[in-house]
Amino acid sequence: MSKTRAGFFLLASATAIFTLAGCTTKKSDAPAGAQPADQAQSTKPAEARPAPNPLKNAYFGDLHLHSGYSMDAFAFGTRTTPEDSYKYAMGQTVEYMGKPQKRIAPLDFLAVTDHAEYLGVVRDTIDPNGPFAKSPWYATMTSTDPAVSATAFRKLIGSTVVNKPLPEFNDPKLVRSAWEKYAAISDQYYKPGKFTTFVGFEWTSAPQFQNLHRCVIFADKGPAIPYTAFESVDPEDLWRYLEAQRKLGLDVIAVPHNGNASNGLMFSTKNMSGKPITRDYAERRMANEPLAEIIQAKGQTDTSPALSPTDEFANFEMWYYLIGSDKKANSATGSYLRQAYGVGQEQQAKLGVNPFKFGIEAGTDFHSGITSTEPSNYPGSHGNQDSDPKTVVTATTSVGGEPPTALSSGGLTGVWAEENTRESIFAAFKRKETFGTSGTRIKARMFAGWSYPKDMTTQADWVKAAYSGGVPQGGDLVPQAGATAPTFVVHAIKDPDSGNLDRIQIIKISTKNGKSKESVYDVVWSGDRKPDPKTGRVPAVGNTVDIKAATYTNSIGSTELIGEWTDPSFDPQAHATYFARVLEIPTPRWSTYWAAKLNVPPNPNVAETVQQRAWTSPVWYTPAAAGK
């Protein structure tokens, strides 16, 4: 092993060659302190339920997926059902757009979150003996022409934007009947200890196409009926619905997504009436929305180059348009999480409560019914709008403003939980012991404490020591008298089917006297690279990608990174948010894989390669005198 600055140790990298046909991987031995429980599950009898792990396992899933029960997905020709969604996530083969599809690696949990508006009802339009057989909708929805589908999409989604429901699809009896079947499917596929399902839906608020969508996830049983944007487009009214559900004994959270397309509304310091937010608003938002989605098909909501000009990795899977519109968003301010963390700390200094204290998760928002987040195995995500490689690879426009190639290959939520059950995973959501990835299955972990011993990560029981001597991601670091600066422990293990790891960074947002500052630290990295003596930044890891063939080698990077870092600029009087970002080495983007299969150049309007990544939930530090 070689030692880098800040006391980090790097594990040797394994070599693997990836091709369009698949991959082979040589895994390194697990380091001291790595948790083997999740790997050991495969050796148990099929009927056995693994014992809970008090030090927690990493589980991967998706909390944002649309099947053919969603109005827009169905308009795009998607005919998958929630049953298909759960089967695909479990590793089974299902049919999508006339072709068999199967994940390379199954997931551990899934919530199907179809749009609450018209949920399940639009599917009846193609029944030749159904209520819509003689209406214009029958011909529209049975058409295979993407242009016809796009027109139907505009009409359906447009009714939600102007808050004028189409009466034929808004019949309460039809919606309730569809919902009861929908929620029952989730319960049917729940296999405690093996595969977890969550009942959920998407509340689709988008005033003037400005995105305020939330995915609503229930801890166990679902409600009698979902809450729609036709009832209100105001998030505070959604929170009232959630609070009413809890009084009925149904625990539930809402997860905001696509702040990048909100035109500054998602993380605004004003409410829907234009008035400054209050302490009550901040408390209720955090009680109802502990997590926020950092990436999905329609781009990432971490940050933008405009907001983070010194972050060389900020320009990643950007999405610039309002959703369902050909208009670009005008405001980056109020649209991205990283800036919101600083604004939240500024608000905490005023209100005594941070309204933007979000943990991090990720999802797909695919309208295909399948969580196909593997770039080399990506079949498209929005029905007939992006399922034909010959038109997609060269496309420059689409119904939603951005061309199909601008869609990313989605994201995944990671949780650290004792076991694969609704109770354990939902508890992880609420305590924010989560992370989000750009679709890869990187295991990312961070702890923070005041008195961690030096080189603690070389000890066999370092995870136990990290819990007992500090807090995990999602936690609050309480001020401690006499402490000079917090120490962070970070740990990442590569996805066996993806690229090796380049580096782990810690991103810090500090706030003092009403002003916030962002800092990005390279704290552990692969190989023997040396940081620039002036900037402290580590050089690029290199690039092994063959663009034409869409291949790469894992001859660079590491299979695992682990170590400790102490904040060199800690100010005990400043608020601070810390989160870790893990980067892979460059690999082909999904659109490059498609171009290689067609033997054509990749679309010049999108990146040819990407550095897939993971983001941990933050750890927050609040000065002792703050909020009093």
Side-chain angles (χ1 to χ4, degrees), residues 71-72 74-77 79 136-156 384-385 399:
M71 54 177 172
D72 48 354
F74 198 80
F76 290 152
R79 299 295 181 258
W137 284 108
Y138 179 80
T140 298
M141 291 300 190
T142 55
S143 173
T144 58
D145 184 346
V148 173
S149 297
T151 299
F153 163 78
R154 289 190 185 98
K155 186 171 183 178
L156 288 164
N384 59 24
Q385 299 298 294
V399 61

Side-chain angles (χ1 to χ4, degrees), residues 268-610:
S268 175
T269 57
K270 295 182 179 179
N271 64 18
M272 291 289 285
S273 300
K275 298 180 180 178
I277 61 175
T278 62
R279 182 184 180 108
D280 178 69
Y281 175 103
E283 290 176 337
R284 292 180 66 229
R285 182 159 195 178
M286 287 297 91
N288 288 289
E289 300 181 359
L291 304 175
E293 186 182 271
I294 198 165
I295 192 171
Q296 56 126 274
K298 300 178 188 70
Q300 54 86 8
T301 303
D302 171 14
T303 192
S304 75
L307 296 174
S308 302
T310 62
D311 183 351
E312 66 214 85
F313 299 107
N315 189 22
F316 175 72
E317 297 294 2
M318 300 300 300
W319 182 275
Y320 294 105
Y321 283 77
L322 300 179
I323 295 175
S325 170
D326 59 359
K327 297 180 180 179
K328 287 189 175 182
N330 296 321
S331 176
T333 299
S335 298
Y336 291 88
L337 267 170
R338 198 183 301 184
Q339 185 188 55
Y341 286 142
V343 173
Q345 291 175 159
E346 295 165 16
Q347 289 292 305
Q348 183 169 5
K350 297 177 182 179
L351 305 174
V353 178
N354 185 339
F356 305 137
K357 198 175 177 182
F358 298 105
I360 287 175
E361 62 93 65
T364 61
D365 195 11
F366 288 169
H367 285 56
S368 60
I370 57 176
T371 52
S372 48
T373 61
E374 298 148 330
S376 64
N377 190 35
Y378 178 73
S381 60
H382 281 68
N384 59 24
Q385 299 298 294
D386 67 348
S387 60
D388 181 0
K390 292 182 180 179
T391 58
V392 166
V393 169
T394 58
T396 57
T397 60
S398 78
V399 61
E402 297 277 20
T405 46
L407 292 166
S408 82
S409 52
L412 291 176
T413 295
V415 301
W416 289 99
E418 295 84 354
E419 59 180 342
N420 190 354
T421 62
R422 285 177 172 175
E423 296 84 359
S424 187
I425 293 176
F426 195 82
F429 295 158
K430 294 188 72 173
R431 68 173 179 267
K432 310 177 188 180
E433 197 170 352
T434 59
F435 55 101
T437 83
S438 56
T440 185
R441 289 176 296 118
I442 298 170
K443 295 180 181 180
R445 208 167 200 181
M446 182 176 76
F447 295 90
W450 295 109
S451 56
Y452 285 148
K454 186 177 181 181
D455 297 339
M456 182 180 72
T457 53
T458 63
Q459 301 173 12
D461 63 347
W462 74 264
V463 174
K464 183 178 181 180
Y467 273 118
S468 63
V471 297
Q473 58 213 59
D476 290 285
L477 195 61
V478 178
Q480 187 174 95
T484 56
T487 295
F488 294 81
V489 177
V490 290
H491 182 208
I493 302 174
K494 77 179 291 289
D495 179 341
D497 300 311
S498 192
N500 277 345
L501 303 180
D502 166 17
R503 69 188 73 193
I504 302 177
Q505 301 174 308
I506 286 182
I507 298 168
K508 175 186 176 183
I509 301 92
S510 60
T511 304
K512 190 174 183 179
N513 299 325
K515 295 183 179 180
S516 296
K517 177 184 177 181
E518 170 188 313
S519 304
V520 180
Y521 297 92
D522 288 321
V523 294
V524 56
W525 53 89
S526 63
D528 57 0
R529 291 172 286 168
K530 304 296 183 184
D532 184 286
K534 293 183 179 180
T535 66
R537 305 307 288 269
V538 174
V541 68
N543 192 330
T544 68
V545 176
D546 181 328
I547 299 297
K548 185 175 181 180
T551 60
Y552 69 99
T553 64
N554 268 331
S555 55
I556 57 175
S558 293
T559 61
E560 196 159 1
L561 296 172
I562 188 171
E564 303 165 37
W565 173 81
T566 300
D567 183 359
S569 59
F570 179 69
D571 181 348
Q573 302 305 313
H575 296 256
T577 299
Y578 301 88
F579 65 97
R581 179 172 63 185
V582 184
L583 297 172
E584 289 185 0
I585 65 171
T587 55
R589 195 175 184 271
W590 72 264
S591 47
T592 301
Y593 281 110
W594 278 29
K597 291 175 182 178
L598 294 173
N599 196 28
V600 299
N603 190 309
N605 296 312
V606 293
E608 296 174 328
T609 66
V610 290

Side-chain angles (χ1 to χ4, degrees), residues 79-273:
R79 299 295 181 258
T80 51
T81 64
E83 292 102 321
D84 295 322
S85 301
Y86 294 126
K87 289 177 180 178
Y88 182 85
M90 294 169 71
Q92 299 178 30
T93 300
V94 302
E95 183 177 298
Y96 170 62
M97 299 306 291
K99 297 178 180 178
Q101 304 292 344
K102 182 179 180 180
R103 274 192 68 91
I104 296 171
L107 299 178
D108 300 302
F109 63 89
L110 175 66
V112 181
T113 53
D114 283 304
H115 293 291
E117 298 76 20
Y118 314 139
L119 190 147
V121 178
V122 178
R123 297 172 71 243
D124 291 335
T125 55
I126 64 170
D127 183 352
N129 301 311
F132 301 100
K134 296 182 180 180
S135 80
W137 284 108
Y138 179 80
T140 298
M141 291 300 190
T142 55
S143 173
T144 58
D145 184 346
V148 173
S149 297
T151 299
F153 163 78
R154 289 190 185 98
K155 186 171 183 178
L156 288 164
I157 207 73
S159 68
T160 68
V161 171
V162 298
N163 204 29
K164 292 182 178 179
L166 302 173
E168 62 267 39
F169 296 137
N170 204 41
D171 185 328
K173 292 182 180 179
L174 293 177
V175 173
R176 185 180 294 272
S177 176
W179 172 255
E180 289 174 351
K181 296 175 184 176
Y182 177 86
I185 295 169
S186 177
D187 290 336
Q188 176 187 346
Y189 281 87
Y190 177 35
K191 310 296 180 185
K194 302 174 185 177
F195 181 74
T196 295
T197 63
F198 291 100
V199 178
F201 62 84
E202 179 170 348
W203 175 73
T204 320
S205 171
Q208 303 302 312
F209 295 100
Q210 298 167 115
N211 184 79
L212 289 176
H213 298 185
R214 267 79 166 170
C215 288
V216 177
I217 311 295
F218 286 83
D220 191 17
K221 299 296 182 181
I225 197 75
Y227 187 75
T228 74
F230 294 137
E231 296 170 76
S232 175
V233 297
D234 191 333
E236 292 188 76
D237 289 329
L238 172 66
W239 303 340
R240 293 185 182 95
Y241 166 83
L242 302 183
E243 290 156 1
Q245 295 303 310
R246 291 194 197 96
K247 290 180 180 179
L248 296 174
L250 302 177
D251 203 358
V252 61
I253 62 172
V255 183
H257 63 265
N258 280 120
N260 58 347
S262 71
N263 219 15
L265 294 185
M266 186 63 80
F267 307 119
S268 175
T269 57
K270 295 182 179 179
N271 64 18
M272 291 289 285
S273 300

Side-chain angles (χ1 to χ4, degrees), residues 14-30:
T15 301
I17 299 177
F18 287 69
T19 68
L20 284 169
C23 61
T24 58
T25 316
K26 180 180 179 182
K27 291 187 66 176
S28 67
D29 293 334

